[in-house]
Amino acid sequence: MYLLQILEPDQQTLFREWQDKELALEYMKKEWIYVRGVQDGIKILSQFYSE
């Protein structure tokens, strides 16, 4: 049985909101990792070309 089917309507709303926030947090984590990688790459390239 699917979890949403056994929840009350107000609980379903809260659960969906929680899922949305969880997805948003996961997206922000991945975006932060990507940005840090780009920053690290720029630092490495700048050191490489300054030598």
Side-chain angles (χ1 to χ4, degrees):
M1 184 176 270
Y2 190 60
L3 179 60
L4 281 176
Q5 294 172 340
I6 61 172
L7 295 176
E8 297 295 323
D10 59 333
Q11 292 173 326
Q12 290 176 5
T13 301
L14 288 173
F15 183 74
R16 286 188 184 110
E17 288 174 6
W18 175 78
Q19 282 183 317
D20 291 343
K21 288 181 185 357
E22 185 69 24
L23 288 173
L25 180 60
E26 191 64 31
Y27 174 78
M28 287 188 292
K29 287 178 184 177
K30 288 178 181 181
E31 185 177 25
W32 182 85
I33 291 170
Y34 173 80
V35 169
R36 286 295 301 168
V38 170
Q39 289 173 342
D40 290 345
I42 291 170
K43 286 180 186 176
I44 291 169
L45 285 175
S46 67
Q47 289 175 356
F48 177 73
Y49 285 113
S50 68
E51 293 179 358

